[in-house]
Amino acid sequence: MKRLRTTRRTMIATTALAALALSGAAVTTASADAPEKKSSSKGFTTTVVDFGAYTSKVEVADPKEPEDRDPTVDATNNTLAVSPNEQFAVATNSYSDHLVVIHVPSGKKVAEIKGYVSPRNILFAPNSKSFTVSDSARGVVDRISVFGFRVTQRLPLGAGVFGTAQSADGKRLYANNAAADTVTVVDLANNRPVDVITGFHEPRQGTKLSHSGDTLYVTNYGTGEVSVVDLKSKDHKVRQIGGFHGLRAVSVNRAGDRLYAANSETNEISVVDTASGKTLTTVHVGDKPYGAALSPDGSVLLSGDMKSNTLTAVDTADNSVIGTVKSGPKGALKGPRQAISFSADSKTAWVLNDDLTVAKVDVENLKVTDILGD
C-alpha cells in the first residue's frame, strides 16, 4: 500500500512541476541525489530514482579555485543546451553544484536541479522530452526528464567523463573521458556502453559528430590536436589534425569538408580542410576565443571571446569578420565560452554568461536583445 501511495504522489508531483515549468511561474528545486528530496516551491515534492551503487557521493569542501571541485580533471568549462522545440534552455558550469532550467519564451528561470559536483556537458534528446548531463567528478551521465525535471536514468562511465555528442536519432551517445583518454560509445535505448575507443590525450568538452553520423571529431587538450574517428571502420581508425594553439572548441559544417577550431592562445579561428587536415586560413577574433559555434544553415560562425566579453561573427562564405557582438542596453555578455546555441532558423543565438544567465542575440544585427534567467 505504501508503494502505491508513493507512486501516486510522484505522478501528482511530476504533473504539477511540468505545469509550473511551462507557466514560467516559480523556481522548483530538484535533486540528482537519491533518495527523495523536498523542493522549495510551494511544498511540491520531487522523487528521484534511487540508483543504489550507481549513486556516487563526491564531497568538495570549499575549494580555493573553481577547478579544484573535480579531483580528476583540472579544468573549468560551461555548457548550454536549448531544446529542439526551443521551449527550454538548460545551463551550468563546472564550478556549480546545480543545473539551471529556463523557459525560453518567457525568459524565466523555472527550475534548479541540484546534487552535481562538476557538471560538464548537456545535450537534449531530439524529441525535446529529456536531456543528458555529464559530471566528471561523479563519473556519471544522467538523463533528466523535462516533466518534473527528474533523473530517470544514470549511466556510470567513470570519473573524468566530460564532453558528449549524440547521433541525430538520439540512439548513440559518444562520451569523452579526460582522465582515461577514451571515448565511450553508449547505446542510449538500452542505457549501456557498447564500445570504448582509445588513443586520445585528455579529450575534454569539444567533441562533434558529422552530419552523416559516420565521423567523430574529438579535441585533445593534451596535444592540441583534433582526432578524426572513422566510425564506419570496424576498428574505428583514428587520424590526427594538428597545428592548433590553445585548442578549445570545434565545429564541422554540414558537408563535412570544413572544420572550425578556436585557438585561445593566438585569438584565431582556424578553418581546416577535413580531408587533408590542412589549415586553409585563420580568422582573427576577440580575446581568448573558447567557442566556435556554427549556425544550422552554415552561414555564420560565432566565436565566444571569453576575456573580451564579446562574440565575433564570421561569414563562412569568405571567412571574413562580419562584426562583433558587445554588451548593450538590453544586457551584457559575461565571459562567453563554448556554450553557444542557435535557433533552428539561425536568426537567434543564446549565449551562456558566467552567472548562468543567458544572453539572447540577434544574429543578423549582432545585438544582445534580452537576458534570460536573471
Side-chain angles (χ1 to χ4, degrees), residues 149-187:
F149 307 115
R150 31 183 204 94
V151 179
T152 59
Q153 290 178 316
R154 171 160 291 170
L155 185 66
L157 293 182
V161 63
F162 211 113
T164 53
Q166 69 180 350
S167 58
D169 59 10
K171 294 181 179 180
R172 282 284 188 271
L173 181 80
Y174 301 87
N176 292 354
N177 191 303
D181 295 330
T182 59
V183 172
T184 301
V185 184
V186 179
D187 175 357

Side-chain angles (χ1 to χ4, degrees), residues 280-317:
L280 302 175
T281 189
T282 56
V283 184
H284 188 79
V285 292
D287 200 357
K288 290 288 181 184
Y290 272 52
L294 194 61
S295 62
D297 64 9
S299 65
V300 177
L301 181 114
L302 290 181
S303 166
D305 310 321
M306 183 189 69
K307 196 169 182 179
S308 58
N309 293 314
T310 60
L311 298 174
T312 303
V314 178
D315 185 339
T316 58

Side-chain angles (χ1 to χ4, degrees), residues 5-15 45-47 150:
R5 284 200 298 270
T6 302
T7 302
R8 183 171 181 270
R9 180 181 60 192
T10 302
M11 291 174 65
I12 293 171
T14 298
T15 303
T45 299
T46 302
T47 302
R150 31 183 204 94

Side-chain angles (χ1 to χ4, degrees), residues 63-320:
K64 293 181 179 179
E65 300 294 337
E67 55 266 30
D68 292 340
R69 290 188 62 84
D70 186 348
T72 60
V73 183
D74 180 16
T76 60
N77 73 295
N78 65 2
T79 179
L80 167 71
V82 176
S83 58
N85 62 10
E86 298 178 10
Q87 291 296 300
F88 291 106
V90 184
T92 189
N93 54 43
S94 58
Y95 38 97
S96 297
D97 63 357
H98 64 280
L99 315 181
V100 170
V101 183
I102 295 171
H103 181 238
V104 173
S106 68
K108 294 182 179 180
K109 182 169 73 171
V110 295
E112 287 186 358
I113 305 170
K114 294 189 174 181
Y116 291 98
V117 179
S118 291
R120 295 295 188 175
N121 206 61
I122 298 168
L123 294 173
F124 262 94
N127 62 11
S128 299
K129 294 180 179 180
S130 65
F131 55 90
T132 56
V133 57
S134 57
D135 189 316
S136 59
R138 303 189 75 166
V140 299
V141 172
D142 282 349
R143 178 169 294 283
I144 299 175
S145 170
V146 300
F147 302 103
F149 307 115
R150 31 183 204 94
V151 179
T152 59
Q153 290 178 316
R154 171 160 291 170
L155 185 66
L157 293 182
V161 63
F162 211 113
T164 53
Q166 69 180 350
S167 58
D169 59 10
K171 294 181 179 180
R172 282 284 188 271
L173 181 80
Y174 301 87
N176 292 354
N177 191 303
D181 295 330
T182 59
V183 172
T184 301
V185 184
V186 179
D187 175 357
L188 286 175
N190 296 293
N191 199 42
R192 63 186 180 89
V194 293
D195 203 355
V196 177
I197 308 171
T198 60
F200 304 98
H201 301 277
E202 203 176 343
R204 293 186 182 178
Q205 186 175 16
T207 180
K208 299 290 183 181
L209 190 65
S210 64
H211 180 72
S212 60
D214 56 15
T215 307
L216 187 70
Y217 299 86
V218 181
T219 60
N220 297 276
Y221 185 79
T223 60
E225 296 176 316
V226 175
S227 294
V228 183
V229 184
D230 182 359
L231 298 175
K232 302 188 305 297
S233 63
K234 186 177 180 180
D235 55 354
H236 293 148
K237 293 181 180 178
V238 180
R239 61 184 174 91
Q240 308 296 337
I241 297 176
F244 306 109
H245 305 280
L247 179 63
R248 296 292 181 179
V250 297
S251 283
V252 181
N253 67 354
R254 182 175 288 266
D257 60 353
R258 292 291 180 271
L259 178 143
Y260 302 87
N263 297 272
S264 62
E265 292 178 4
T266 59
N267 299 334
E268 294 173 327
I269 298 294
S270 295
V271 183
V272 179
D273 180 278
T274 56
S276 66
K278 294 182 178 180
T279 298
L280 302 175
T281 189
T282 56
V283 184
H284 188 79
V285 292
D287 200 357
K288 290 288 181 184
Y290 272 52
L294 194 61
S295 62
D297 64 9
S299 65
V300 177
L301 181 114
L302 290 181
S303 166
D305 310 321
M306 183 189 69
K307 196 169 182 179
S308 58
N309 293 314
T310 60
L311 298 174
T312 303
V314 178
D315 185 339
T316 58
D318 59 5
N319 299 315
S320 63

Side-chain angles (χ1 to χ4, degrees), residues 362-373:
D362 179 337
V363 176
E364 183 178 0
N365 295 302
L366 301 181
K367 291 182 178 180
V368 176
T369 60
D370 200 3
I371 300 295
L372 313 184

